[in-house]
Amino acid sequence: MKWLDDFFERKTRRVAQSASRRSALVKVGKLFVGTAFILPVLPFDRMMPTAHAGENKKAVEDDTSCDYWRYCALDGFLCTCCGGTISSCPPGTEISKVTWVGTCRNPGDGKDYLISYNDCCGVTMCGRCACNRNERERPGYRLGVHNDINWCMANGSNAYHCTVAAIVGVGEKRG
Ligand code: ABN
């Protein structure tokens, strides 16, 4: 294998002769200077201060958006996108006999509300406005606060279509 050693020795010597330490330093210097000029002109998001304003508006006003405050523990398709409303099932479906609940804060008035999430049953999945939020949601052994279950299980038809979010109580501040 001496020929291999000789080969690599020759190559290494040639590189060492043609590339000095100074030229390596010059290349690194150029890279630094280039970066200093290029970075400031790269595009970046200048909307930062207002970026969350739209999101907050959706959380208060748009019940077809998963960001809407009442959906804080909803896992399913929003009935508001499937021909129903936020608290009534679309025509041709029936509301689940059993349900899970969540507690969500309304950013509009700062109050906490108890929300009943009922599935709408009897027709195949709506498929629009999928939403999966899990604030204060608990695993299946706490059934009433678990959302990853087909709550149509107690209805005549178990087919799941979408989910509504009705207010069933409001929290009162103690003090
Ligand atoms: N509760 C909504 C849902 C339905 C079917 C499967 C998972 C979650």
Side-chain angles (χ1 to χ4, degrees):
M1 295 299 255
K2 186 171 179 323
W3 64 270
L4 193 65
D5 289 343
D6 291 345
F7 174 79
F8 278 109
E9 188 183 337
R10 268 198 312 277
K11 288 275 178 213
T12 313
R13 283 186 191 286
R14 200 167 304 156
V15 170
Q17 277 160 9
S18 61
S20 67
R21 211 178 311 169
R22 186 178 299 166
S23 83
L25 282 175
V26 168
K27 278 183 190 147
V28 171
K30 277 183 185 166
L31 189 71
F32 274 118
V33 173
T35 311
F37 280 105
I38 287 169
L39 272 186
V41 294
L42 286 178
F44 67 94
D45 183 5
R46 292 170 202 272
M47 298 284 291
M48 254 160 34
T50 52
H52 298 286
E55 277 169 32
N56 197 45
K57 205 168 174 220
K58 275 188 181 171
V60 181
E61 291 174 6
D62 184 2
D63 66 7
T64 62
S65 161
C66 187
D67 294 331
Y68 189 65
W69 68 273
R70 273 203 225 178
Y71 301 145
C72 76
L74 187 151
D75 180 3
F77 300 109
L78 305 181
C79 285
T80 48
C81 300
C82 305
T85 71
I86 193 157
S87 54
S88 63
C89 288
T93 65
E94 61 171 16
I95 198 150
S96 62
K97 294 188 193 319
V98 281
T99 175
W100 79 104
V101 293
T103 306
C104 305
R105 179 155 298 172
N106 179 353
D109 62 12
K111 289 185 182 167
D112 294 325
Y113 289 84
L114 186 67
I115 310 294
S116 175
Y117 298 105
N118 287 73
D119 289 341
C120 296
C121 318
V123 175
T124 50
M125 275 189 274
C126 161
R128 283 190 290 277
C129 299
C131 181
N132 187 1
R133 288 175 57 191
N134 302 290
E135 288 171 35
R136 288 171 286 281
E137 195 259 348
R138 289 289 173 268
Y141 58 80
R142 299 279 313 276
L143 206 57
V145 280
H146 181 61
N147 65 14
D148 199 10
I149 280 185
N150 180 356
W151 285 101
C152 296
M153 60 179 117
N155 286 54
S157 165
N158 298 157
Y160 165 73
H161 189 63
C162 64
T163 304
V164 294
I167 293 177
V168 288
V170 57
E172 284 172 21
K173 287 210 170 77
R174 275 192 269 173

